[in-house]
C-alpha cells in the first residue's frame, strides 16, 4: 500500500470509535427462515405493484411485484414456497408498508439463474441492455439510500459523466459487510465495475476504501495492475467519508453544488455492495434477493456477517449470532451514526439493511440535555458547511422558509453535529423533523 498521505474531504468530520468487531469474520449464508415477509417498498420512489395472490406457488428469483414508473424497483421472491397473507406490516423504518408473506418450502430457483461460483468476465450485454437488466433485477443502492440503480445509470441529456466512483468506504462504526465483500469477492466486484463503466460510457473508475481496510486495499491493488482504467485509492479514516459529496471531493476535488447531484460534476457513485449485486444481475441473471448483513455489538456473542435472504425476520438473524444479550438497550438497523432503532424484532431484512447493531443499555440512554453554549463544535463538525444549531432552532420554531434559506435540505443526516455537542442536544432529530415538514409543504 502506498505511503503518501491518504485523501479525505476538507470540511468537518468526526472520529467515532470504529468497533469493527466482525471485520475478520467470513460471510456465512444464513439458514433459510420458515417464512419471509417481503415489503413492496424497499426503495426510494413509488411502491412496486403486486402481481401475485395468496396461495400462489413461487420460486426464488421470481418477480412478485413490478416497478411502477421510472423511479421504482422490481421486487422478487427470495425463497420458494407459497404466498400467504398480503398486508401492511411494520418495517425497519418504523412505519407500516404493504408486504407479501411467503411460507418457505424447499429452495427451488427460477430456471435461467446461474447459482454457480464460476466467474464470468466478458460483458456481453450492450449499455442499454445492462441498464434494462439492472432494472429487471430490482437492484437498488445498498449503502443505505436504496435509490434504484437503473435511474442513476440513466444520465440526463446535456450532462457529461467522465468518472465512476465505487464507494468501499463503510465509514459507519461497527459495520463490516462491505469490507468482507471486498475481501471475499474482489474479482466479481471488478467485473461489476467494468459493467458500470460500459453502461456509462466512461473509461475511468476509482474504488475508494478507508485505510482501516488494508487487506481489501492490497487485494485490489494487486488485481488492478492489469486494469489501466480502474484504480484503488486509500482514504483517511474520517466520518462521514462515505457520503457521496465527501467522497467525490476527497477523490476528485470536485464540489457538488447545493441541491445538485454527482452527475452535475461528471461523476456517478455506486456502493461496493451494489456493484457486486450488478455483477450478479448482469452476468448471472440473479435478481437482488439476498444481501450481506453485519450483526454486531459490544455484548453480541458472535459478531457476524451473514448472507441473508430478503424478507428474513430480524429475530432469525439475531439468533444466528448468539441471541439478544441481556444488557441490550436498543437494536438499530444500520450503524450507530445514521441507523434507526427497530421497534419490533419481527421486522424483515430489506435490500437496504446493511447491519443490525445491538447497543447495551448503558450506551443507549440519552444523556440529559443542556442549553446550547454556542461553542460552535457542531459547525466545525458539519461536513456540509451548515450551521446545525441554527437549523435546530428554526425546525423547532417551524420556520420552514428560513430553514430552507439556510440549506436544511443539504444536510446528509450524518449525525456528526449531535455526536460532538457537549450539551447533548438532539440536533439531528430536529433537522430531520424540519426536512420532513419542508417536504410535506411542497406536496399539493
Amino acid at each position: 500500500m502506498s505511503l503518501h498521505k491518504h485523501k479525505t474531504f476538507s470540511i468537518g468530520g468526526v472520529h467515532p470509535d470504529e468497533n469493527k468487531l466482525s471485520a475478520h469474520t467470513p460471510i456465512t449464508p444464513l439458514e433459510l427462515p420458515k417464512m419471509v415477509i417481503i415489503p413492496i417498498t424497499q426503495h426510494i420512489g413509488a411502491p412496486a405493484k403486486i402481481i401475485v395472490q395468496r396461495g400462489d406457488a413461487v420460486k426464488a428469483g421470481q418477480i412478485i411485484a413490478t416497478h411502477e414508473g421510472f423511479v421504482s424497483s422490481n421486487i422478487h421472491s427470495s425463497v420458494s414456497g407459497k404466498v400467504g397473507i398480503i398486508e401492511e406490516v411494520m418495517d425497519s423504518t418504523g412505519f407500516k408498508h404493504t408486504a407479501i408473506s411467503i411460507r418457505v418450502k424447499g429452495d427451488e430457483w427460477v430456471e435461467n439463474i446461474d447459482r454457480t461460483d464460476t466467474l464470468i468476465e466478458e460483458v456481453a450485454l450492450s449499455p442499454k441492455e445492462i441498464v434494462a437488466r439492472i432494472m429487471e433485477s430490482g437492484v437498488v443502492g445498498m449503502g443505505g439510500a436504496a435509490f434504484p440503480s437503473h435511474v442513476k445509470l440513466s444520465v440526463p441529456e446535456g450532462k457529461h459523466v467522465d468518472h465512476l466512483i465505487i464507494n468501499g468506504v463503510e465509514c459507519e462504526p461497527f459495520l463490516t459487510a462491505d469490507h468482507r465483500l471486498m475481501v471475499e469477492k474482489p474479482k466479481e466486484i471488478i467485473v461489476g465495475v467494468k459493467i458500470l463503466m460500459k453502461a456509462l460510457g466512461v473509461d475511468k473508475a476509482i474504488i475508494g476504501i478507508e485505510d482501516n481496510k488494508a487487506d481489501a486495499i492490497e487485494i485490489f491493488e494487486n488485481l488492478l495492475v492489469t486494469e489501466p482504467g480502474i484504480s484503488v485509492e486509500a482514504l483517511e479514516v474520517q466520518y462521514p467519508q462515505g457520503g457521496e459529496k465527501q467522497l467525490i471531493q476527497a477523490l476528485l476535488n470536485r464540489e457538488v453544488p447545493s441541491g445538485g447531484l454527482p452527475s452535475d460534476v461528471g461523476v456517478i457513485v455506486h456502493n461496493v455492495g451494489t456493484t457486486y449485486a450488478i455483477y450478479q444481475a448482469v452476468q448471472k441473471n440473479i435478481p437482488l434477493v439476498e444481501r450481506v448483513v453485519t450483526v454486531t455489538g459490544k455484548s453480541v456473542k458472535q459478531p457476524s456477517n451473514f448472507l441473508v435472504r430478503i424478507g428474513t425476520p430480524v429475530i432469525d438473524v439475531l439468533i444466528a449470532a448468539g441471541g439478544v444479550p441481556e444488557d441490550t438497550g436498543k437494536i438499530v438497523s444500520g450503524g450507530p451514526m445514521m441507523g434507526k432503532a427497530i421497534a419490533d424484532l419481527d421486522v424483515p431484512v430489506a435490500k437496504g439493511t446493511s447491519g443490525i447493531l445491538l447497543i447495551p443499555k448503558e450506551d443507549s440512554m440519552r444523556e440529559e440535555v443542556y442549553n446550547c453554549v454556542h461553542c460552535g463544535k457542531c459547525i466545525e463538525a458539519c461536513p456540509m458547511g451548515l450551521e446545525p444549531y441554527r437549523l435546530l432552532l428554526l425546525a423547532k420554531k417551524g420556520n420552514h422558509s428560513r430553514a430552507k434559506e439556510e440549506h436544511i435540505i443539504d444536510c446528509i443526516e450524518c449525525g456528526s453535529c449531535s455526536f460532538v455537542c457537549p450539551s447533548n442536544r438532539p440536533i439531528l432529530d430536529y433537522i430531520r423533523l424540519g426536512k420532513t415538514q419542508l417536504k410535506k409543504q411542497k406536496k399539493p
Side-chain angles (χ1 to χ4, degrees):
M1 194 165 64
S2 50
L3 296 173
H4 62 78
K5 190 176 184 295
H6 294 151
K7 295 177 178 179
T8 190
F9 54 98
S10 59
I11 303 171
V14 292
H15 291 89
D17 292 338
E18 292 172 34
N19 288 306
K20 302 283 191 178
L21 310 175
S22 50
H24 301 292
T25 310
I27 298 165
T28 309
L30 191 74
E31 198 175 309
L32 283 177
K34 290 177 181 172
M35 180 181 280
V36 291
I37 302 148
I38 303 179
I40 60 166
T41 306
Q42 295 187 56
H43 48 266
I44 286 173
K49 182 184 176 183
I50 298 169
I51 59 168
V52 291
Q53 297 175 23
R54 188 171 184 176
D56 285 357
V58 294
K59 294 178 181 178
Q62 180 178 328
I63 292 183
I64 54 174
T66 56
H67 62 89
E68 283 279 88
F70 184 57
V71 185
S72 185
S73 187
N74 285 344
I75 304 288
H76 301 73
S77 176
S78 59
V79 294
S80 60
K82 192 167 277 191
V83 175
I85 299 170
I86 298 171
E87 61 179 350
E88 287 204 337
V89 299
M90 188 183 289
D91 62 20
S92 59
T93 64
F95 294 98
K96 285 194 168 186
H97 289 111
T98 303
I100 302 164
S101 64
I102 300 169
R103 178 73 58 184
V104 179
K105 190 178 180 185
D107 193 21
E108 195 179 344
W109 286 72
V110 171
E111 286 74 12
N112 63 345
I113 286 174
D114 178 3
R115 294 274 292 162
T116 68
D117 287 334
T118 310
L119 180 74
I120 302 174
E121 293 191 72
E122 188 192 342
V123 184
L125 300 188
S126 70
K128 274 189 178 176
E129 288 170 335
I130 288 168
V131 176
R133 176 71 62 83
I134 289 167
M135 181 166 72
E136 287 162 18
S137 303
V139 181
V140 302
M142 293 169 75
F147 193 79
S149 299
H150 67 272
V151 180
K152 262 193 186 183
L153 293 173
S154 306
V155 180
E157 225 175 291
K159 288 188 183 178
H160 174 68
V161 171
D162 57 31
H163 268 82
L164 168 69
I165 290 178
I166 302 301
N167 187 346
V169 174
E170 199 165 44
C171 59
E172 267 276 13
F174 287 95
L175 301 187
T176 59
D178 286 352
H179 182 184
R180 290 311 310 172
L181 205 51
M182 289 188 287
V183 169
E184 297 181 37
K185 301 288 183 184
K187 290 179 180 176
E188 289 85 348
I189 289 166
I190 290 169
V191 177
V193 175
K194 290 178 181 177
I195 291 166
L196 288 166
M197 290 170 77
K198 186 172 182 179
L200 291 165
V202 301
D203 56 11
K204 290 187 181 71
I206 306 170
I207 303 170
I209 308 174
E210 273 190 333
D211 62 15
N212 57 359
K213 303 170 189 65
D215 50 355
I217 294 168
E218 188 179 352
I219 288 166
F220 278 104
E221 281 183 336
N222 291 335
L223 289 174
L224 293 173
V225 168
T226 54
E227 303 289 348
I230 310 171
S231 62
V232 61
E233 284 277 1
L235 295 154
E236 192 180 309
V237 176
Q238 178 159 272
Y239 180 87
Q241 188 78 260
E244 276 194 341
K245 294 177 181 180
Q246 286 66 41
L247 191 54
I248 291 166
Q249 206 240 321
L251 291 173
L252 295 171
N253 200 25
R254 298 181 190 178
E255 195 167 320
V256 178
S258 174
L261 296 168
S263 57
D264 293 329
V265 292
V267 184
I268 295 291
V269 182
H270 277 281
N271 166 268
V272 74
T274 314
T275 307
Y276 178 68
I278 284 167
Y279 163 79
Q280 289 199 299
V282 174
Q283 304 295 80
K284 300 281 195 169
N285 208 30
I286 303 174
L288 182 46
V289 292
E290 59 188 0
R291 68 155 297 143
V292 183
V293 179
T294 300
V295 184
T296 185
K298 291 176 183 175
S299 302
V300 171
K301 275 185 187 173
Q302 299 149 16
S304 306
N305 299 293
F306 292 118
L307 185 63
V308 183
R309 300 285 177 97
I310 303 301
T312 300
V314 162
I315 185 64
D316 289 28
V317 191
L318 297 180
I319 289 167
V324 179
E326 280 185 29
D327 68 348
T328 302
K330 189 181 282 187
I331 298 174
V332 171
S333 175
M337 298 297 285
M338 294 182 77
K340 292 179 181 173
I342 297 173
D344 185 338
L345 295 186
D346 287 327
V347 303
V349 166
K351 294 178 183 181
T353 309
S354 53
I356 302 163
L357 171 63
L358 289 83
I359 303 175
K361 278 194 183 103
E362 60 176 7
D363 295 338
S364 68
M365 304 296 287
R366 291 214 177 203
E367 295 184 52
E368 191 176 342
V369 176
Y370 299 99
N371 290 333
C372 174
V373 293
H374 299 283
C375 63
K377 284 188 176 178
C378 63
I379 299 171
E380 288 173 18
C382 179
M384 295 304 296
L386 305 175
E387 297 185 6
Y389 79 95
R390 190 191 296 274
L391 295 175
L392 176 151
L393 293 173
L394 293 170
K396 208 171 182 180
K397 289 176 182 175
N399 192 340
H400 307 310
S401 57
R402 186 69 194 280
K404 187 181 176 183
E405 287 171 19
E406 296 283 345
H407 302 289
I408 192 170
I409 294 298
D410 284 346
C411 168
I412 61 170
E413 301 183 22
C414 67
S416 297
C417 51
S418 297
F419 179 77
V420 297
C421 180
S423 297
N424 308 314
R425 294 176 73 73
I427 303 173
L428 179 56
D429 295 13
Y430 274 104
I431 291 175
R432 275 180 173 155
L433 177 67
K435 285 175 74 175
T436 303
Q437 289 172 338
L438 190 59
K439 283 171 186 170
K440 276 182 185 172
Q441 278 191 339
K442 284 183 182 177
K443 290 182 179 176

